[in-house]
């Protein structure tokens, strides 16, 4: 990756590389910046719920967002404790996060074990090991109408996201996601080696810092985000998480899939893709966009 003038952030490490060009052949080894990838063991009351490959950092948001997307948590009120099992000040050292439910609450771990086959949740796939797509769709309630959004705000969203990608600047090897309000202001933004991890971090931050609640626990006047923007393609896993978090709009710089479009239509989400250079495609529910 091309060098950056700014110092690398945590989550970037160095590995040797030899660069080839037709003019000079294979160059001598040099140090190259790459994204750090390590496993994270997510445990609830001592039981492992998932093992995911991620870029260390914002682990409490990642874990909260993951459990929220799985339907195990419905608000921050469901959390009794969330402890990173590592050295103080060195997030990622122990690569284990222990979650304790709120007093008197028992989290339904069968929701995960019944729909997964115990497989590793990799950095590339948020739905690996699922037995049925219906397992995921069942958790997706239709999102409320939500505020309208100016088309110009949606068109600028990837540019806003790009300003929050220091790890990509150094490595070129990470994805990013951000939550924006109706004026285009960033509510939360994170990077990760996995698309779905970046989204989980965003959702977790909204749960813990903005009071996001699931459809089951929502109260009148509760916080609702407006726009989720992602750096990669808009796959089914991204739309599923957006639906559970009640995002009325999703913007992607890349392509959709057939299932992501189907889920967006069913969940009432406005899905825009290939959002680049001030242009985009709208696949579902264009009525939310204000043009002109």
């Amino acid at each position: 990756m091309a060098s950056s003038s700014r110092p690398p952030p945590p989550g970037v490490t160095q590995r040797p590389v030899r660069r080839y060009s037709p003019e000079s052949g294979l160059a001598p080894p040099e140090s190259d910046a790459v994204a750090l990838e390590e496993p994270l063991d997510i445990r609830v009351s001592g039981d492992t719920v998932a093992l995911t490959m991620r870029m260390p950092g914002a682990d409490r948001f990642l874990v909260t967002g993951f459990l929220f997307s799985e339907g195990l948590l419905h608000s921050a009120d469901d959390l009794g404790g969330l402890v990173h099992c590592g050295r103080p000040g060195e997030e990622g050292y122990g690569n284990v996060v222990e979650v304790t439910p709120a007093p008197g609450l028992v989290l339904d771990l069968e929701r995960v074990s019944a729909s997964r086959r115990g497989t590793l949740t990799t950095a590339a796939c948020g739905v690996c090991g699922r037995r049925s797509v219906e397992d995921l769709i069942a958790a997706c309630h239709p999102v409320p109408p939500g505020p309208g959004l100016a088309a110009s705000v949606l068109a600028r969203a990837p540019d806003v996201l790009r300003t929050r990608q220091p790890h990509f600047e150094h490595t070129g090897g990470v994805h990013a996601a951000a939550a924006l309000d109706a004026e285009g202001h960033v509510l939360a933004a994170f990077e990760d080696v996995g698309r779905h991890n970046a989204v989980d971090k965003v959702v977790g931050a909204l749960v813990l810092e903005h009071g996001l609640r699931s459809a089951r626990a929502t109260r009148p006047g509760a916080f609702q985000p407006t726009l989720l923007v992602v750096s990669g393609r808009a796959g089914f896993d991204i739309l599923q998480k957006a639906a559970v978090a009640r995002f009325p709009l999703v913007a992607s710089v890349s392509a959709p899939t057939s299932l992501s479009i189907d889920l967006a239509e069913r969940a009432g989400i406005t899905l825009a893709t290939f959002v680049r250079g001030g242009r985009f495609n709208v696949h579902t529910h264009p009525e939310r966009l204000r043009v002109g």
Side-chain angles (χ1 to χ4, degrees):
M1 180 69 180
S3 61
S4 171
S5 59
R6 290 185 287 185
V12 173
T13 187
Q14 301 289 322
R15 293 291 187 273
V17 65
R18 300 184 66 181
R19 307 184 192 281
Y20 170 83
S21 69
E23 296 78 20
S24 57
L26 198 62
E30 61 181 284
S31 184
D32 189 37
V34 296
L36 187 63
E37 182 178 32
E38 294 182 355
L40 179 67
D41 186 357
I42 301 174
R43 299 179 183 174
V44 174
S45 301
D47 294 328
T48 294
V49 175
L51 179 65
T52 186
M53 304 303 296
R54 97 299 190 200
M55 182 174 68
D59 284 341
R60 69 188 186 99
F61 293 147
L62 170 59
V63 171
T64 300
F66 171 79
L67 295 177
F68 188 88
S69 297
E70 292 287 334
L72 297 180
L73 297 178
H74 297 283
S75 73
D77 298 337
D78 293 341
L79 273 176
L82 195 155
V83 180
H84 199 286
C85 302
R87 293 175 179 171
E90 294 186 18
E91 186 175 25
Y93 179 83
N95 288 333
V96 177
V97 169
E98 176 71 31
V99 177
T100 304
L105 179 67
V106 178
L107 300 187
D108 183 13
L109 301 186
E110 291 299 317
R111 289 185 62 91
V112 178
S113 61
S115 61
R116 293 185 183 270
R117 295 191 295 266
T119 57
L120 171 71
T121 302
T122 71
C125 177
V127 294
C128 295
R130 293 294 186 179
R131 291 177 179 169
S132 170
V133 171
E134 290 301 319
D135 293 332
L136 291 166
I137 292 180
C140 298
H141 299 274
V143 302
L149 186 72
S152 59
V153 172
L154 192 152
R156 291 194 303 268
D159 296 329
V160 174
L161 178 63
R162 186 67 182 84
T163 66
R164 303 297 187 99
Q165 295 181 250
H167 294 87
F168 182 84
E169 180 182 343
H170 284 271
T171 70
V174 294
H175 291 280
L180 277 60
D181 66 16
E183 284 72 47
H185 301 134
V186 176
L187 300 171
F190 294 95
E191 295 177 282
D192 202 275
V193 290
R195 295 191 319 274
H196 69 282
N197 285 343
V199 174
D200 279 341
K201 289 178 178 180
V202 167
V203 172
L206 296 183
V207 171
L208 295 178
E209 297 188 339
H210 294 272
L212 177 67
R213 306 172 71 88
S214 73
R216 169 176 154 181
T218 298
R219 300 167 180 163
F223 167 81
Q224 181 186 349
T226 299
L227 174 65
L228 174 68
V229 55
V230 294
S231 63
R233 73 177 185 275
F236 179 89
D237 54 344
I238 301 301
L239 267 295
Q240 183 265 336
K241 292 177 183 295
V244 174
R246 301 167 55 246
F247 278 97
L249 298 102
V250 174
S252 168
V253 300
S254 191
T257 65
S258 61
L259 274 180
S260 68
I261 295 173
D262 293 346
L263 178 54
E265 179 64 37
R266 175 170 172 174
I269 294 174
T270 301
L271 173 60
T273 62
F274 291 111
V275 188
R276 305 172 186 172
R279 301 174 180 270
F280 55 81
N281 299 335
V282 182
H283 301 274
T284 56
H285 299 284
E287 64 274 6
R288 283 198 185 90
L289 294 175
R290 301 195 304 268
V291 179

